[in-house]
Amino acid sequence: MGAEGTPTPSRTARTTPSVATGDEFANSIAFENDRVAGTFSITDSRWESGDLVVNVTVAVDRGSISYVFLAMDMPTGNITLANPPQAGDLQEGTVDTGESVSGILRFTKNRDDTQVLLSDTGGRTITMLAVKG
C-alpha cells in the first residue's frame, strides 16, 4: 500500500495478446510479455479503392521484436496479409529497445470493421487495434 493507504501500482508480465479495453476502436495500446514491451499505435486509417490503408507506429521499451502485420475481418474472422510494400510503406522488420518504426500498411480486403494485428515472425499475435469499416 502507498503512503495514503492506496494500492501501489505494480507491473506484471502478460502472456496473452493485449487487447484494447474500454473503447474498442482505441488508437494506441501498450503491450508486454516475457520477450518485449512497448506501444502499438494507429495514427491514421482510411479506405482507398478496396484497400484498408493504416499509418502505424511500433515503439519498444524493453526487448526486441521481429514483426509482421495482419488484418482480421471482425465479422468473418478472415485473415489478410499486408500487401507488398510500395515505396515508403512499412515492411517486416525488427525493432529493439528504445527504437520505434512508423509507416503505412495496405490490406486489400472487404470494407468492414477490422483488427490490425501486430504479430511476431513466429506467428504469435502481440496485440491488435480495431479500425472501423
Side-chain angles (χ1 to χ4, degrees), residues 6 10 15 19 22 38-39 68 73 88 91 101 106 109 113 115 119:
T6 58
S10 64
T15 57
V19 179
T39 305
V68 297
D73 190 75
Q91 301 182 40
V101 293
R106 300 168 198 275
K109 63 175 299 300
D113 290 351
Q115 291 278 5
S119 299

Side-chain angles (χ1 to χ4, degrees), residues 27-29 31 39-44 55-59 69 129:
N27 293 347
S28 186
I29 186 169
F31 59 86
T39 305
F40 175 44
S41 303
I42 295 178
T43 56
D44 184 47
N55 197 343
V56 301
T57 299
V58 177
F69 296 94
L129 288 168

Side-chain angles (χ1 to χ4, degrees), residues 46-53 83 86 106-109:
R46 63 191 178 280
W47 293 89
E48 293 179 355
S49 305
D51 285 352
L52 169 60
V53 180
N83 296 357
Q86 299 178 11
R106 300 168 198 275
F107 300 93
T108 300
K109 63 175 299 300

